[in-house]
mmCIF file of all heavy atoms in Angstrom:
data_model
loop_
_atom_site.group_PDB
_atom_site.id
_atom_site.type_symbol
_atom_site.label_atom_id
_atom_site.label_comp_id
_atom_site.label_asym_id
_atom_site.label_seq_id
_atom_site.Cartn_x
_atom_site.Cartn_y
_atom_site.Cartn_z
ATOM 1 N N MET A 1 154.959 124.466 -14.399
ATOM 2 C CA MET A 1 154.135 123.302 -14.214
ATOM 3 C C MET A 1 152.943 123.686 -13.334
ATOM 4 O O MET A 1 153.098 124.289 -12.283
ATOM 5 C CB MET A 1 154.951 122.187 -13.567
ATOM 6 C CG MET A 1 154.112 120.957 -13.287
ATOM 7 S SD MET A 1 155.044 119.471 -12.905
ATOM 8 C CE MET A 1 155.794 119.863 -11.362
ATOM 9 N N GLU A 2 151.753 123.322 -13.753
ATOM 10 C CA GLU A 2 150.540 123.617 -13.016
ATOM 11 C C GLU A 2 150.297 122.545 -11.959
ATOM 12 O O GLU A 2 150.447 121.361 -12.221
ATOM 13 C CB GLU A 2 149.355 123.671 -13.977
ATOM 14 C CG GLU A 2 148.086 124.123 -13.300
ATOM 15 C CD GLU A 2 146.952 124.283 -14.291
ATOM 16 O OE1 GLU A 2 147.209 124.691 -15.436
ATOM 17 O OE2 GLU A 2 145.821 123.983 -13.906
ATOM 18 N N ARG A 3 149.947 123.001 -10.742
ATOM 19 C CA ARG A 3 149.655 122.075 -9.658
ATOM 20 C C ARG A 3 148.168 122.141 -9.331
ATOM 21 O O ARG A 3 147.600 123.215 -9.233
ATOM 22 C CB ARG A 3 150.448 122.480 -8.422
ATOM 23 C CG ARG A 3 151.269 121.364 -7.866
ATOM 24 C CD ARG A 3 152.248 121.833 -6.855
ATOM 25 N NE ARG A 3 151.615 122.366 -5.665
ATOM 26 C CZ ARG A 3 152.258 122.722 -4.591
ATOM 27 N NH1 ARG A 3 153.568 122.629 -4.561
ATOM 28 N NH2 ARG A 3 151.637 123.198 -3.547
ATOM 29 N N THR A 4 147.548 121.016 -9.150
ATOM 30 C CA THR A 4 146.141 120.954 -8.801
ATOM 31 C C THR A 4 146.000 120.373 -7.404
ATOM 32 O O THR A 4 146.584 119.337 -7.088
ATOM 33 C CB THR A 4 145.371 120.063 -9.800
ATOM 34 O OG1 THR A 4 145.545 120.599 -11.109
ATOM 35 C CG2 THR A 4 143.904 120.009 -9.466
ATOM 36 N N THR A 5 145.223 121.061 -6.583
ATOM 37 C CA THR A 5 144.943 120.571 -5.243
ATOM 38 C C THR A 5 143.611 119.848 -5.272
ATOM 39 O O THR A 5 142.619 120.388 -5.746
ATOM 40 C CB THR A 5 144.886 121.737 -4.243
ATOM 41 O OG1 THR A 5 146.142 122.407 -4.260
ATOM 42 C CG2 THR A 5 144.585 121.248 -2.837
ATOM 43 N N VAL A 6 143.594 118.642 -4.776
ATOM 44 C CA VAL A 6 142.369 117.850 -4.726
ATOM 45 C C VAL A 6 141.878 117.828 -3.281
ATOM 46 O O VAL A 6 142.626 117.474 -2.367
ATOM 47 C CB VAL A 6 142.610 116.412 -5.229
ATOM 48 C CG1 VAL A 6 141.344 115.584 -5.108
ATOM 49 C CG2 VAL A 6 143.109 116.439 -6.667
ATOM 50 N N ILE A 7 140.635 118.234 -3.086
ATOM 51 C CA ILE A 7 140.031 118.241 -1.760
ATOM 52 C C ILE A 7 138.966 117.153 -1.736
ATOM 53 O O ILE A 7 138.048 117.149 -2.551
ATOM 54 C CB ILE A 7 139.419 119.613 -1.448
ATOM 55 C CG1 ILE A 7 140.492 120.694 -1.566
ATOM 56 C CG2 ILE A 7 138.778 119.609 -0.061
ATOM 57 C CD1 ILE A 7 139.959 122.095 -1.492
ATOM 58 N N SER A 8 139.104 116.247 -0.795
ATOM 59 C CA SER A 8 138.180 115.114 -0.721
ATOM 60 C C SER A 8 136.790 115.575 -0.283
ATOM 61 O O SER A 8 136.652 116.583 0.412
ATOM 62 C CB SER A 8 138.695 114.071 0.271
ATOM 63 O OG SER A 8 138.568 114.564 1.594
ATOM 64 N N PRO A 9 135.760 114.842 -0.671
ATOM 65 C CA PRO A 9 134.402 115.169 -0.209
ATOM 66 C C PRO A 9 134.306 115.193 1.319
ATOM 67 O O PRO A 9 133.591 116.018 1.879
ATOM 68 C CB PRO A 9 133.545 114.052 -0.812
ATOM 69 C CG PRO A 9 134.295 113.631 -2.037
ATOM 70 C CD PRO A 9 135.744 113.740 -1.645
ATOM 71 N N ALA A 10 135.041 114.329 1.987
ATOM 72 C CA ALA A 10 135.025 114.302 3.452
ATOM 73 C C ALA A 10 135.596 115.601 4.029
ATOM 74 O O ALA A 10 135.072 116.140 5.014
ATOM 75 C CB ALA A 10 135.817 113.099 3.967
ATOM 76 N N GLU A 11 136.647 116.111 3.417
ATOM 77 C CA GLU A 11 137.239 117.367 3.892
ATOM 78 C C GLU A 11 136.304 118.543 3.621
ATOM 79 O O GLU A 11 136.187 119.450 4.445
ATOM 80 C CB GLU A 11 138.609 117.606 3.236
ATOM 81 C CG GLU A 11 139.339 118.802 3.790
ATOM 82 C CD GLU A 11 139.693 118.705 5.269
ATOM 83 O OE1 GLU A 11 139.875 117.598 5.793
ATOM 84 O OE2 GLU A 11 139.777 119.772 5.911
ATOM 85 N N VAL A 12 135.630 118.540 2.492
ATOM 86 C CA VAL A 12 134.648 119.589 2.194
ATOM 87 C C VAL A 12 133.535 119.549 3.239
ATOM 88 O O VAL A 12 133.132 120.589 3.780
ATOM 89 C CB VAL A 12 134.076 119.435 0.772
ATOM 90 C CG1 VAL A 12 132.904 120.385 0.553
ATOM 91 C CG2 VAL A 12 135.153 119.673 -0.273
ATOM 92 N N GLU A 13 133.055 118.377 3.569
ATOM 93 C CA GLU A 13 131.997 118.228 4.574
ATOM 94 C C GLU A 13 132.475 118.743 5.932
ATOM 95 O O GLU A 13 131.733 119.429 6.642
ATOM 96 C CB GLU A 13 131.561 116.764 4.680
ATOM 97 C CG GLU A 13 130.399 116.552 5.600
ATOM 98 C CD GLU A 13 129.127 117.280 5.181
ATOM 99 O OE1 GLU A 13 128.891 117.435 3.976
ATOM 100 O OE2 GLU A 13 128.382 117.715 6.080
ATOM 101 N N LYS A 14 133.708 118.447 6.275
ATOM 102 C CA LYS A 14 134.278 118.915 7.541
ATOM 103 C C LYS A 14 134.300 120.442 7.584
ATOM 104 O O LYS A 14 133.944 121.055 8.601
ATOM 105 C CB LYS A 14 135.695 118.353 7.698
ATOM 106 C CG LYS A 14 136.386 118.728 8.974
ATOM 107 C CD LYS A 14 137.763 118.072 9.022
ATOM 108 C CE LYS A 14 138.572 118.542 10.193
ATOM 109 N NZ LYS A 14 139.918 117.972 10.200
ATOM 110 N N GLN A 15 134.701 121.070 6.481
ATOM 111 C CA GLN A 15 134.742 122.530 6.424
ATOM 112 C C GLN A 15 133.340 123.131 6.494
ATOM 113 O O GLN A 15 133.125 124.176 7.117
ATOM 114 C CB GLN A 15 135.475 122.992 5.163
ATOM 115 C CG GLN A 15 136.954 122.687 5.176
ATOM 116 C CD GLN A 15 137.667 123.287 6.369
ATOM 117 O OE1 GLN A 15 137.507 124.458 6.672
ATOM 118 N NE2 GLN A 15 138.450 122.463 7.056
ATOM 119 N N LEU A 16 132.366 122.478 5.864
ATOM 120 C CA LEU A 16 130.983 122.953 5.926
ATOM 121 C C LEU A 16 130.455 122.875 7.360
ATOM 122 O O LEU A 16 129.688 123.750 7.795
ATOM 123 C CB LEU A 16 130.098 122.161 4.970
ATOM 124 C CG LEU A 16 130.336 122.434 3.488
ATOM 125 C CD1 LEU A 16 129.526 121.462 2.634
ATOM 126 C CD2 LEU A 16 130.021 123.877 3.138
ATOM 127 N N GLU A 17 130.875 121.863 8.103
ATOM 128 C CA GLU A 17 130.492 121.755 9.510
ATOM 129 C C GLU A 17 131.079 122.912 10.319
ATOM 130 O O GLU A 17 130.412 123.476 11.192
ATOM 131 C CB GLU A 17 130.935 120.412 10.079
ATOM 132 C CG GLU A 17 130.153 119.234 9.540
ATOM 133 C CD GLU A 17 130.753 117.884 9.910
ATOM 134 O OE1 GLU A 17 131.668 117.837 10.763
ATOM 135 O OE2 GLU A 17 130.296 116.874 9.350
ATOM 136 N N HIS A 18 132.328 123.279 10.020
ATOM 137 C CA HIS A 18 132.942 124.435 10.692
ATOM 138 C C HIS A 18 132.168 125.715 10.360
ATOM 139 O O HIS A 18 131.922 126.545 11.241
ATOM 140 C CB HIS A 18 134.405 124.603 10.276
ATOM 141 C CG HIS A 18 135.324 123.575 10.856
ATOM 142 N ND1 HIS A 18 135.542 123.434 12.211
ATOM 143 C CD2 HIS A 18 136.090 122.639 10.261
ATOM 144 C CE1 HIS A 18 136.403 122.458 12.423
ATOM 145 N NE2 HIS A 18 136.749 121.953 11.248
ATOM 146 N N CYS A 19 131.795 125.875 9.108
ATOM 147 C CA CYS A 19 131.033 127.059 8.692
ATOM 148 C C CYS A 19 129.700 127.125 9.434
ATOM 149 O O CYS A 19 129.291 128.201 9.890
ATOM 150 C CB CYS A 19 130.782 127.036 7.183
ATOM 151 S SG CYS A 19 132.269 127.271 6.189
ATOM 152 N N ALA A 20 129.039 126.003 9.563
ATOM 153 C CA ALA A 20 127.757 125.959 10.264
ATOM 154 C C ALA A 20 127.945 126.309 11.744
ATOM 155 O O ALA A 20 127.115 127.018 12.334
ATOM 156 C CB ALA A 20 127.118 124.587 10.112
ATOM 157 N N ALA A 21 129.034 125.848 12.341
ATOM 158 C CA ALA A 21 129.305 126.153 13.748
ATOM 159 C C ALA A 21 129.539 127.651 13.936
ATOM 160 O O ALA A 21 129.038 128.250 14.893
ATOM 161 C CB ALA A 21 130.510 125.350 14.248
ATOM 162 N N VAL A 22 130.279 128.261 13.040
ATOM 163 C CA VAL A 22 130.515 129.710 13.107
ATOM 164 C C VAL A 22 129.195 130.450 12.929
ATOM 165 O O VAL A 22 128.906 131.418 13.641
ATOM 166 C CB VAL A 22 131.556 130.155 12.052
ATOM 167 C CG1 VAL A 22 131.622 131.677 11.954
ATOM 168 C CG2 VAL A 22 132.926 129.593 12.390
ATOM 169 N N ALA A 23 128.364 130.007 12.004
ATOM 170 C CA ALA A 23 127.069 130.650 11.773
ATOM 171 C C ALA A 23 126.184 130.554 13.012
ATOM 172 O O ALA A 23 125.520 131.529 13.388
ATOM 173 C CB ALA A 23 126.376 130.020 10.566
ATOM 174 N N ARG A 24 126.179 129.392 13.669
ATOM 175 C CA ARG A 24 125.382 129.234 14.892
ATOM 176 C C ARG A 24 125.882 130.173 15.988
ATOM 177 O O ARG A 24 125.095 130.799 16.703
ATOM 178 C CB ARG A 24 125.416 127.790 15.387
ATOM 179 C CG ARG A 24 124.556 126.839 14.589
ATOM 180 C CD ARG A 24 124.412 125.483 15.275
ATOM 181 N NE ARG A 24 125.694 124.823 15.505
ATOM 182 C CZ ARG A 24 126.323 124.051 14.615
ATOM 183 N NH1 ARG A 24 125.782 123.829 13.429
ATOM 184 N NH2 ARG A 24 127.484 123.480 14.911
ATOM 185 N N LEU A 25 127.194 130.267 16.129
ATOM 186 C CA LEU A 25 127.780 131.118 17.150
ATOM 187 C C LEU A 25 127.460 132.587 16.897
ATOM 188 O O LEU A 25 126.991 133.296 17.786
ATOM 189 C CB LEU A 25 129.296 130.915 17.200
ATOM 190 C CG LEU A 25 130.065 131.815 18.153
ATOM 191 C CD1 LEU A 25 129.736 131.452 19.600
ATOM 192 C CD2 LEU A 25 131.549 131.697 17.908
ATOM 193 N N THR A 26 127.687 133.059 15.684
ATOM 194 C CA THR A 26 127.482 134.473 15.389
ATOM 195 C C THR A 26 126.006 134.848 15.340
ATOM 196 O O THR A 26 125.669 136.015 15.515
ATOM 197 C CB THR A 26 128.179 134.879 14.077
ATOM 198 O OG1 THR A 26 127.659 134.102 12.999
ATOM 199 C CG2 THR A 26 129.687 134.695 14.179
ATOM 200 N N ALA A 27 125.121 133.888 15.151
ATOM 201 C CA ALA A 27 123.681 134.172 15.160
ATOM 202 C C ALA A 27 123.231 134.612 16.555
ATOM 203 O O ALA A 27 122.206 135.279 16.683
ATOM 204 C CB ALA A 27 122.899 132.943 14.707
ATOM 205 N N GLN A 28 124.005 134.278 17.577
ATOM 206 C CA GLN A 28 123.671 134.643 18.949
ATOM 207 C C GLN A 28 124.088 136.077 19.286
ATOM 208 O O GLN A 28 123.684 136.612 20.312
ATOM 209 C CB GLN A 28 124.352 133.680 19.920
ATOM 210 C CG GLN A 28 123.941 132.243 19.749
ATOM 211 C CD GLN A 28 124.794 131.307 20.584
ATOM 212 O OE1 GLN A 28 125.407 131.692 21.565
ATOM 213 N NE2 GLN A 28 124.847 130.048 20.176
ATOM 214 N N TRP A 29 124.902 136.696 18.458
ATOM 215 C CA TRP A 29 125.403 138.041 18.717
ATOM 216 C C TRP A 29 124.326 139.075 18.397
ATOM 217 O O TRP A 29 123.434 138.837 17.590
ATOM 218 C CB TRP A 29 126.636 138.326 17.877
ATOM 219 C CG TRP A 29 127.817 137.432 18.173
ATOM 220 C CD1 TRP A 29 127.921 136.509 19.166
ATOM 221 C CD2 TRP A 29 129.039 137.386 17.447
ATOM 222 N NE1 TRP A 29 129.145 135.884 19.111
ATOM 223 C CE2 TRP A 29 129.857 136.411 18.062
ATOM 224 C CE3 TRP A 29 129.528 138.068 16.366
ATOM 225 C CZ2 TRP A 29 131.125 136.114 17.616
ATOM 226 C CZ3 TRP A 29 130.797 137.779 15.915
ATOM 227 C CH2 TRP A 29 131.592 136.808 16.547
ATOM 228 N N GLY A 30 124.443 140.242 19.006
ATOM 229 C CA GLY A 30 123.503 141.317 18.747
ATOM 230 C C GLY A 30 123.601 141.846 17.320
ATOM 231 O O GLY A 30 122.608 142.244 16.717
ATOM 232 N N GLU A 31 124.809 141.881 16.776
ATOM 233 C CA GLU A 31 125.039 142.339 15.401
ATOM 234 C C GLU A 31 125.762 141.239 14.642
ATOM 235 O O GLU A 31 126.595 140.541 15.202
ATOM 236 C CB GLU A 31 125.898 143.601 15.383
ATOM 237 C CG GLU A 31 125.236 144.812 16.014
ATOM 238 C CD GLU A 31 126.133 146.032 15.939
ATOM 239 O OE1 GLU A 31 127.071 146.053 15.131
ATOM 240 O OE2 GLU A 31 125.885 146.965 16.725
ATOM 241 N N GLN A 32 125.449 141.112 13.377
ATOM 242 C CA GLN A 32 126.121 140.105 12.558
ATOM 243 C C GLN A 32 127.492 140.630 12.115
ATOM 244 O O GLN A 32 127.631 141.800 11.781
ATOM 245 C CB GLN A 32 125.283 139.770 11.321
ATOM 246 C CG GLN A 32 123.975 139.075 11.664
ATOM 247 C CD GLN A 32 124.213 137.746 12.361
ATOM 248 O OE1 GLN A 32 124.888 136.880 11.851
ATOM 249 N NE2 GLN A 32 123.663 137.598 13.563
ATOM 250 N N PRO A 33 128.500 139.766 12.106
ATOM 251 C CA PRO A 33 129.827 140.194 11.669
ATOM 252 C C PRO A 33 129.830 140.502 10.173
ATOM 253 O O PRO A 33 129.043 139.947 9.409
ATOM 254 C CB PRO A 33 130.718 138.987 11.965
ATOM 255 C CG PRO A 33 129.785 137.824 11.985
ATOM 256 C CD PRO A 33 128.473 138.357 12.476
ATOM 257 N N LEU A 34 130.720 141.414 9.772
ATOM 258 C CA LEU A 34 130.838 141.768 8.361
ATOM 259 C C LEU A 34 131.778 140.836 7.616
ATOM 260 O O LEU A 34 131.685 140.691 6.413
ATOM 261 C CB LEU A 34 131.328 143.212 8.224
ATOM 262 C CG LEU A 34 130.408 144.274 8.826
ATOM 263 C CD1 LEU A 34 131.046 145.642 8.696
ATOM 264 C CD2 LEU A 34 129.050 144.231 8.169
ATOM 265 N N ALA A 35 132.700 140.207 8.351
ATOM 266 C CA ALA A 35 133.677 139.331 7.695
ATOM 267 C C ALA A 35 134.249 138.359 8.713
ATOM 268 O O ALA A 35 134.161 138.568 9.922
ATOM 269 C CB ALA A 35 134.805 140.160 7.088
ATOM 270 N N PHE A 36 134.851 137.297 8.195
ATOM 271 C CA PHE A 36 135.558 136.329 9.025
ATOM 272 C C PHE A 36 136.959 136.198 8.445
ATOM 273 O O PHE A 36 137.112 135.979 7.242
ATOM 274 C CB PHE A 36 134.842 134.972 8.994
ATOM 275 C CG PHE A 36 135.583 133.909 9.764
ATOM 276 C CD1 PHE A 36 135.533 133.874 11.147
ATOM 277 C CD2 PHE A 36 136.324 132.954 9.105
ATOM 278 C CE1 PHE A 36 136.216 132.894 11.862
ATOM 279 C CE2 PHE A 36 137.012 131.970 9.806
ATOM 280 C CZ PHE A 36 136.951 131.951 11.190
ATOM 281 N N VAL A 37 137.971 136.350 9.291
ATOM 282 C CA VAL A 37 139.358 136.279 8.830
ATOM 283 C C VAL A 37 140.059 135.153 9.562
ATOM 284 O O VAL A 37 140.035 135.083 10.787
ATOM 285 C CB VAL A 37 140.091 137.610 9.089
ATOM 286 C CG1 VAL A 37 141.554 137.502 8.671
ATOM 287 C CG2 VAL A 37 139.405 138.758 8.366
ATOM 288 N N ASP A 38 140.676 134.262 8.815
ATOM 289 C CA ASP A 38 141.467 133.182 9.387
ATOM 290 C C ASP A 38 142.807 133.202 8.681
ATOM 291 O O ASP A 38 142.863 133.089 7.448
ATOM 292 C CB ASP A 38 140.770 131.838 9.188
ATOM 293 C CG ASP A 38 141.430 130.726 9.975
ATOM 294 O OD1 ASP A 38 142.570 130.914 10.461
ATOM 295 O OD2 ASP A 38 140.808 129.670 10.095
ATOM 296 N N THR A 39 143.891 133.374 9.427
ATOM 297 C CA THR A 39 145.210 133.533 8.809
ATOM 298 C C THR A 39 145.931 132.209 8.569
ATOM 299 O O THR A 39 147.016 132.204 8.012
ATOM 300 C CB THR A 39 146.100 134.430 9.668
ATOM 301 O OG1 THR A 39 146.345 133.778 10.906
ATOM 302 C CG2 THR A 39 145.475 135.791 9.894
ATOM 303 N N TYR A 40 145.369 131.099 9.012
ATOM 304 C CA TYR A 40 146.009 129.794 8.859
ATOM 305 C C TYR A 40 147.405 129.786 9.486
ATOM 306 O O TYR A 40 148.321 129.148 8.997
ATOM 307 C CB TYR A 40 146.084 129.371 7.392
ATOM 308 C CG TYR A 40 144.724 129.227 6.783
ATOM 309 C CD1 TYR A 40 144.172 130.264 6.042
ATOM 310 C CD2 TYR A 40 143.979 128.081 6.954
ATOM 311 C CE1 TYR A 40 142.896 130.148 5.500
ATOM 312 C CE2 TYR A 40 142.706 127.947 6.418
ATOM 313 C CZ TYR A 40 142.194 128.990 5.686
ATOM 314 O OH TYR A 40 140.932 128.856 5.157
ATOM 315 N N GLY A 41 147.561 130.564 10.556
ATOM 316 C CA GLY A 41 148.812 130.558 11.282
ATOM 317 C C GLY A 41 149.929 131.382 10.660
ATOM 318 O O GLY A 41 151.065 131.287 11.074
ATOM 319 N N CYS A 42 149.613 132.202 9.673
ATOM 320 C CA CYS A 42 150.642 133.019 9.034
ATOM 321 C C CYS A 42 151.177 134.043 10.028
ATOM 322 O O CYS A 42 150.419 134.881 10.533
ATOM 323 C CB CYS A 42 150.056 133.726 7.821
ATOM 324 S SG CYS A 42 151.257 134.796 6.991
ATOM 325 N N PRO A 43 152.476 134.017 10.337
ATOM 326 C CA PRO A 43 153.017 134.927 11.349
ATOM 327 C C PRO A 43 153.119 136.368 10.867
ATOM 328 O O PRO A 43 153.349 137.260 11.670
ATOM 329 C CB PRO A 43 154.410 134.348 11.625
ATOM 330 C CG PRO A 43 154.775 133.665 10.356
ATOM 331 C CD PRO A 43 153.478 133.113 9.799
ATOM 332 N N ASN A 44 152.954 136.634 9.585
ATOM 333 C CA ASN A 44 153.102 137.983 9.044
ATOM 334 C C ASN A 44 151.820 138.792 9.055
ATOM 335 O O ASN A 44 151.816 139.951 8.695
ATOM 336 C CB ASN A 44 153.657 137.926 7.619
ATOM 337 C CG ASN A 44 155.034 137.317 7.581
ATOM 338 O OD1 ASN A 44 155.851 137.564 8.473
ATOM 339 N ND2 ASN A 44 155.303 136.514 6.595
ATOM 340 N N VAL A 45 150.709 138.170 9.453
ATOM 341 C CA VAL A 45 149.421 138.856 9.441
ATOM 342 C C VAL A 45 149.003 139.140 10.865
ATOM 343 O O VAL A 45 148.960 138.246 11.695
ATOM 344 C CB VAL A 45 148.339 138.009 8.737
ATOM 345 C CG1 VAL A 45 146.994 138.697 8.783
ATOM 346 C CG2 VAL A 45 148.746 137.722 7.292
ATOM 347 N N ARG A 46 148.720 140.391 11.149
ATOM 348 C CA ARG A 46 148.252 140.789 12.471
ATOM 349 C C ARG A 46 146.817 141.273 12.344
ATOM 350 O O ARG A 46 146.522 142.172 11.568
ATOM 351 C CB ARG A 46 149.104 141.922 13.050
ATOM 352 C CG ARG A 46 150.578 141.580 13.111
ATOM 353 C CD ARG A 46 150.849 140.626 14.272
ATOM 354 N NE ARG A 46 152.275 140.373 14.365
ATOM 355 C CZ ARG A 46 152.825 139.199 14.125
ATOM 356 N NH1 ARG A 46 152.100 138.183 13.786
ATOM 357 N NH2 ARG A 46 154.127 139.039 14.239
ATOM 358 N N VAL A 47 145.909 140.653 13.099
ATOM 359 C CA VAL A 47 144.499 141.037 13.052
ATOM 360 C C VAL A 47 144.098 141.620 14.388
ATOM 361 O O VAL A 47 144.482 141.188 15.412
ATOM 362 C CB VAL A 47 143.610 139.817 12.715
ATOM 363 C CG1 VAL A 47 142.145 140.212 12.720
ATOM 364 C CG2 VAL A 47 144.013 139.241 11.390
#
């Protein structure tokens, strides 16, 4: 059975705000980051 996840426009907007905040923060650094990693709390991933 196929499952579809529906993301509300409000949640998309919230995530875009987070992206903009990260962009503002990293723009202040001397070098731009190559990647952003978020594990969503997965205990099996060590960064």
Side-chain angles (χ1 to χ4, degrees):
M1 177 166 67
E2 186 175 325
R3 234 168 65 173
T4 302
T5 300
V6 177
I7 303 171
S8 71
E11 186 63 28
V12 171
E13 185 61 33
K14 181 178 173 183
Q15 291 303 311
L16 289 173
E17 290 170 11
H18 287 297
C19 291
V22 170
R24 284 191 301 274
L25 176 69
T26 59
Q28 299 171 22
W29 297 354
E31 295 181 19
Q32 293 298 304
L34 299 177
F36 176 77
V37 177
D38 190 346
T39 65
Y40 298 97
C42 179
N44 297 322
V45 177
R46 304 284 183 247
V47 178

